[in-house]
């Protein structure tokens, strides 16, 4: 087994002729936290969505857990995977969204059990037990019968993290998980994420929280205009940026 | 508010225009009630002898012949017609909803052939009068005297049946109304599906759900909230559209009424009788719709809307408290 959970080589992606990713190379090591930073429109979220196959990349190679995303190598030929196989791949990659995207018509507990029951075929009682355990882990064990609309943004995001964890992912993707939160609620979500990082989960986090990146990330990538401008240890990259672009970006966000 | 420590009397705004309008409407309502229960001297002649003189005059009867209306209200002919109307409404709506949702899902498919077929279906069935469609299904045997199941473009057949055996008047009416309804329902369902936030689908997808699973467990339940109110409207509309089926020989509620009045010429009372039944059923349907909407609003609102009983209680309390504050002390600032 290779040491890399995610490996991208020259990944390209265009929307309607606009090139969003212009050849991205990136390596995410197992058990490590990788932060993607950069101005909006730089392609951070698109890269994340390609890894989860929510978007199909146009060119380049993208490996998750040693396998090509969306393709299967058999006898020297690449076969495109069918929907069911792709769904199976996705089930092992957790994703947390900027706007939480909790299922509005389901209670907190049902949000966390539905994937387990319908996708993994876990018996309902076992799924509930796991959901309660995860709710306790994110500090929301008293909210299981609430509907998402009855929770604060921070609470919703913590439920969303529990929902993703319920699928027992090998990789967690966070797409600006704190950007839609009121400032005083950011901390509670970051705490859950730090705890998750300590437990050894492989995480890719698109974020504007530079302190989080500095504190938790093993590697940070700075994307600008669809390419990786700079990458490396966060303490070096974020405190002593080499490129002019990163310097000006950091001066705006810090 | 300047006070000398005393309470200040608050004079609410007088809505003069509202009072005049209300009085006007009240008079109209009184006139309506009066005319509904007025009598006309149009009954049979009644004669009696007084001091050897025989006088005759017409008896007074209800202007709206309520006695006749309620005499026929529960006759078996009318109740059979009502049952047919209800059956047709339920069956046609069932066909309409199932087919309509299917067409809506097809319309939103990435496959161009599916979406174009769905669009064409809606275009055709929405673009021609439902009465014409009813006639076409009733007389379809002219075009296709027999129907068979087999392999297309070959002579190999498995089942063979005469069209008129299969498509009785009732079946033709159900098919005609159902297919027409599906065209409208598909647009309603499509609006509902589009109203669900795309993030919900992404979240379902990221959990590993297939398109079908995310549609079934995530999108449709939330779309229902948008779909239910116009669908309730469609059910009520269908209830009355079924009255068209008497033109193809199905005896529904209105058909039963018309059979009766063509024999006894009591046209108005029987039309009123039928209308009362339609109103009654519509009322029941509206109540059902309210509770259905409440059910599917789950999670969409922080608290569900009050039931009529709860609202009544709240209104009464509101009015009472208004009186209390009007008479009471409304804060005095020092």
């Amino acid at each position: 087994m290779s040491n890399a959970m995610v490996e991208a080589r020259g990944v390209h992606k265009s929307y309607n002729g606009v090139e969003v990713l212009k050849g991205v190379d990136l390596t995410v090591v197992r058990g490590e936290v990788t932060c993607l930073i950069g101005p909006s429109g730089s392609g951070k979220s698109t890269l994340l969505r390609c890894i989860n196959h929510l978007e199909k990349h146009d060119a380049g190679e993208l490996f998750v857990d040693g396998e090509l995303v969306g393709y299967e190598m058999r006898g020297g030929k690449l076969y495109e995977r069918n929907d069911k196989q792709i769904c199976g791949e996705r089930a092992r990659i957790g994703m947390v969204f900027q706007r939480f995207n909790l299922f509005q018509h389901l209670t907190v507990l049902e949000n966390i059990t539905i994937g387990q029951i319908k996708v993994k075929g876990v018996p309902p009682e076992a799924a509930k037990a796991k959901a309660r355990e995860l709710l306790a882990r994110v500090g929301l064990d008293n909210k299981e019968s609430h509907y998402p609309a009855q929770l604060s943004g921070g609470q919703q995001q913590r439920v969303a993290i529990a929902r993703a964890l319920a699928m027992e992912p090998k990789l967690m993707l966070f797409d600006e998980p704190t950007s839609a939160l009121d400032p005083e609620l950011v901390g509670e979500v970051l705490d859950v994420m730090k705890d998750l990082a300590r437990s050894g989960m492989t995480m890719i986090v698109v974020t504007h929280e530079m302190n989080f990146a500095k504190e938790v990330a093993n590697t940070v990538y700075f994307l600008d205009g669809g390419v990786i401008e700079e990458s490396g240890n966060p303490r070096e990259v974020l405190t002593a940026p080499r490129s002019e672009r990163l310097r000006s970006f950091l001066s705006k966000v810090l | 508010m300047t006070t000398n420590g005393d309470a200040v009397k608050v004079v609410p705004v007088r809505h003069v225009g509202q009072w005049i309008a209300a009085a006007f409407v009240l008079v109209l309502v009184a006139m309506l009630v009066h005319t509904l229960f007025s009598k006309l001297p149009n009954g049979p002649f009644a004669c009696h002898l007084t001091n050897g003189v025989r006088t005759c005059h017409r008896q007074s009867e209800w202007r709206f012949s309520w006695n006749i209306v309620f005499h026929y209200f529960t006759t078996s002919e009318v109740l059979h017609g009502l049952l047919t109307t209800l059956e047709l409404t339920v069956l046609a709506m069932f066909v309409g909803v199932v087919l309509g949702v299917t067409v809506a899902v097809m319309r939103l498919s990435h496959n161009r052939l599916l979406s174009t077929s769905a669009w064409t279906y809606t275009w055709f069935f929405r673009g021609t009068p439902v009465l014409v469609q009813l006639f076409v299904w009733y007389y379809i045997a002219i075009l296709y005297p027999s129907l068979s199941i087999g392999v297309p473009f070959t002579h190999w057949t498995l089942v063979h049946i005469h069209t008129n055996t299969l498509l009785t008047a009732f079946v033709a009416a159900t098919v005609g109304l159902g297919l027409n309804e599906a065209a409208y329902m598909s647009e309603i369902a499509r609006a509902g599906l589009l109203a669900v936030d795309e993030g919900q689908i992404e979240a379902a997808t990221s959990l590993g759900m297939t398109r079908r699973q995310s549609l079934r467990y995530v999108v449709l339940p939330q779309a229902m909230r948008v779909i239910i109110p116009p669908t309730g409207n469609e059910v009520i509309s269908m209830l009355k559209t079924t009255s068209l089926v008497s033109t193809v020989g199905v005896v529904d509620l209105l058909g039963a009424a018309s059979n009766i009045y063509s024999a006894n010429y009591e046209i108005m009372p029987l039309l009123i009788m039928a209308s009362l039944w339609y109103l009654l059923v519509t009322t029941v349907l509206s109540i059902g719709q309210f509770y259905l909407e409440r059910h599917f609003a789950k999670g969409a609102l922080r608290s569900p809307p009050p039931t009529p009983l709860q609202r009544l209680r709240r209104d009464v309390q509101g009015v009472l408290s208004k009186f209390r504050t009007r008479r009471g002390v409304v804060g005095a600032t020092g």
Side-chain angles (χ1 to χ4, degrees):
Chain A
M1 200 153 66
S2 114
N3 200 27
M5 176 60 82
V6 178
E7 180 94 58
R9 286 192 220 128
V11 170
H12 285 260
K13 172 73 192 171
S14 310
Y15 292 105
N16 306 322
V18 180
E19 204 170 24
V20 184
L21 296 178
K22 302 172 182 168
V24 172
D25 298 302
L26 158 143
T27 306
V28 176
V29 179
R30 246 171 246 284
E32 289 196 350
V33 177
T34 302
C35 282
L36 301 181
I37 59 169
S40 53
S42 60
K44 310 179 299 282
S45 295
T46 306
L47 180 59
L48 214 58
R49 295 160 66 86
C50 284
I51 293 170
N52 202 7
H53 214 282
L54 278 177
E55 306 280 356
K56 214 165 162 181
H57 57 283
D58 305 325
E61 291 172 319
L62 189 53
F63 295 90
V64 173
D65 205 9
E67 298 213 37
L68 268 179
V69 172
Y71 296 91
E72 197 176 5
M73 184 74 103
R74 266 183 286 148
K77 277 188 189 166
L78 274 183
Y79 291 90
E80 197 169 353
R81 286 178 196 264
N82 64 29
D83 285 350
K84 199 159 185 184
Q85 289 168 324
I86 289 172
C87 288
E89 281 181 52
R90 276 200 202 104
R92 298 297 314 279
I93 303 174
M95 181 136 183
V96 174
F97 299 88
Q98 181 176 355
R99 286 174 51 240
F100 332 131
N101 296 354
L102 289 179
F103 304 132
Q104 298 295 318
H105 62 303
L106 300 179
T107 62
V108 165
L109 196 73
E110 287 164 342
N111 262 282
I112 305 175
T113 56
I114 189 163
Q116 300 184 68
I117 297 171
K118 303 299 179 192
V119 177
K120 292 180 74 182
V122 175
E125 282 314 311
K128 275 183 202 163
K130 180 157 191 78
R132 293 202 171 102
E133 185 189 307
L134 285 165
L135 277 176
R137 186 166 164 192
V138 298
L140 290 171
D141 30 2
N142 55 344
K143 300 282 186 196
E144 64 171 59
S145 52
H146 284 58
Y147 284 97
Q150 298 167 318
L151 301 180
S152 74
Q155 290 170 333
Q156 288 192 54
Q157 195 60 298
R158 284 188 279 156
V159 173
I161 293 173
R163 176 177 70 177
L165 289 176
M167 301 301 284
E168 296 179 327
K170 55 190 175 186
L171 168 67
M172 284 284 284
L173 308 175
F174 294 84
D175 190 0
E176 304 200 23
T178 57
S179 298
L181 297 178
D182 290 338
E184 82 268 22
L185 302 176
V186 170
E188 63 187 64
V189 172
L190 291 182
D191 285 343
V192 169
M193 290 169 62
K194 284 175 195 165
D195 180 55
L196 193 59
R198 272 194 293 274
S199 75
M201 175 65 73
T202 313
M203 294 161 60
I204 306 179
V205 186
V206 171
T207 188
H208 291 294
E209 296 291 330
M210 294 307 148
N211 288 329
F212 174 82
K214 234 180 261 183
E215 192 184 332
V216 182
N218 300 89
T219 316
V220 60
Y221 285 85
F222 171 61
L223 263 95
D224 193 20
V227 291
I228 305 277
E229 272 288 314
E230 208 167 324
S231 65
N233 184 307
R235 271 164 294 275
E236 288 163 21
V237 172
L238 298 177
T239 47
R242 275 166 290 153
S243 70
E244 182 51 44
R245 286 208 201 155
L246 178 54
R247 215 168 295 148
S248 84
F249 173 73
L250 289 177
S251 70
K252 281 176 206 152
V253 293
L254 284 179
Chain B
M1 256 190 262
T2 48
T3 63
N4 303 320
D6 297 327
V8 177
K9 187 174 163 31
V10 178
V11 184
V13 178
R14 305 281 182 209
H15 300 282
V16 182
Q18 266 183 30
W19 282 108
I20 294 171
F24 183 68
V25 170
L26 195 68
V27 171
L28 285 182
V29 170
M31 284 168 72
L32 181 69
V33 171
H34 176 256
T35 189
L36 277 177
F37 298 103
S38 62
K39 292 197 166 188
L40 278 180
N42 61 353
F45 281 94
C47 302
H48 47 94
L49 283 166
T50 319
N51 303 330
V53 184
R54 189 165 180 269
T55 52
C56 291
H57 60 89
R58 293 195 110 182
Q59 285 175 335
S60 282
E61 293 210 331
W62 295 111
R63 183 190 296 269
F64 283 88
S65 314
W66 295 116
N67 48 332
I68 303 173
V69 169
F70 288 105
H71 174 259
Y72 286 104
F73 202 68
T74 51
T75 54
S76 75
E77 202 174 354
V78 167
L79 290 180
H80 270 109
L82 176 68
L83 191 66
T84 306
T85 292
L86 293 177
E87 281 170 357
L88 272 173
T89 306
V90 170
L91 290 173
M93 277 315 293
F94 180 77
V95 173
V97 168
V98 171
L99 194 61
V101 171
T102 313
V103 171
V105 172
M106 279 170 66
R107 179 85 189 271
L108 297 174
S109 164
H110 295 303
N111 186 317
R112 283 293 287 274
L113 187 67
L114 290 181
S115 64
T116 311
S117 329
W119 182 87
T120 312
Y121 179 91
T122 310
W123 168 77
F124 182 80
F125 282 93
R126 213 170 49 163
T128 51
V130 62
L131 188 57
V132 173
Q133 290 174 30
L134 276 176
F135 277 127
V136 168
W137 287 108
Y138 186 61
Y139 293 114
I140 195 82
I142 299 171
L143 299 179
Y144 299 98
S146 62
L147 300 170
S148 48
I149 299 173
V151 180
F153 308 114
T154 67
H155 291 291
W156 191 84
T157 57
L158 189 69
V159 185
H160 193 87
I161 193 167
H162 285 290
T163 305
N164 279 339
T165 325
L166 186 69
L167 280 173
T168 60
F170 184 83
V171 175
T174 309
V175 170
L177 292 173
L179 294 189
N180 180 264
E181 183 57 36
Y184 289 92
M185 276 310 303
S186 77
E187 288 295 285
I188 290 172
R190 190 167 69 97
L193 294 175
L194 289 177
V196 177
D197 181 32
E198 208 176 342
Q200 298 283 309
I201 303 164
E202 281 186 358
T205 310
S206 79
L207 285 179
M209 286 193 194
T210 58
R211 257 179 77 81
R212 200 197 177 90
Q213 283 176 322
S214 81
L215 189 70
R216 166 139 183 236
Y217 301 119
V218 175
V219 180
L220 267 181
Q222 295 186 65
M224 288 308 267
R225 200 174 151 251
V226 180
I227 293 175
I228 295 274
T231 303
N233 211 20
E234 289 296 305
V235 176
I236 287 166
S237 168
M238 176 61 78
L239 177 75
K240 292 161 299 159
T241 309
T242 54
S243 61
L244 292 177
V245 300
S246 52
T247 56
V248 293
V250 179
V251 182
D252 68 323
L253 177 57
L254 192 63
S258 106
N259 282 351
I260 297 169
Y261 70 62
S262 56
N264 66 6
Y265 301 108
E266 297 284 4
I267 299 175
M268 276 299 183
L270 280 150
L271 289 179
I272 292 169
M273 185 276 307
S275 302
L276 283 179
W277 266 121
Y278 283 116
L279 273 175
L280 195 69
V281 177
T282 303
T283 309
V284 173
L285 288 174
S286 306
I287 295 169
Q289 181 184 348
F290 175 82
Y291 284 97
L292 209 59
E293 275 176 30
R294 217 174 116 89
H295 172 77
F296 280 105
K298 238 179 15 178
L301 308 162
R302 277 159 203 259
S303 55
T307 61
L309 209 67
Q310 289 169 337
R311 198 179 316 164
L312 184 73
R313 202 175 301 148
R314 190 190 292 174
D315 285 351
V316 170
Q317 275 168 358
V319 170
L320 286 179
S321 68
K322 208 172 184 180
F323 272 108
R324 248 175 254 139
T325 47
R326 194 176 284 180
R327 274 193 281 137
V329 178
V330 184
T333 42

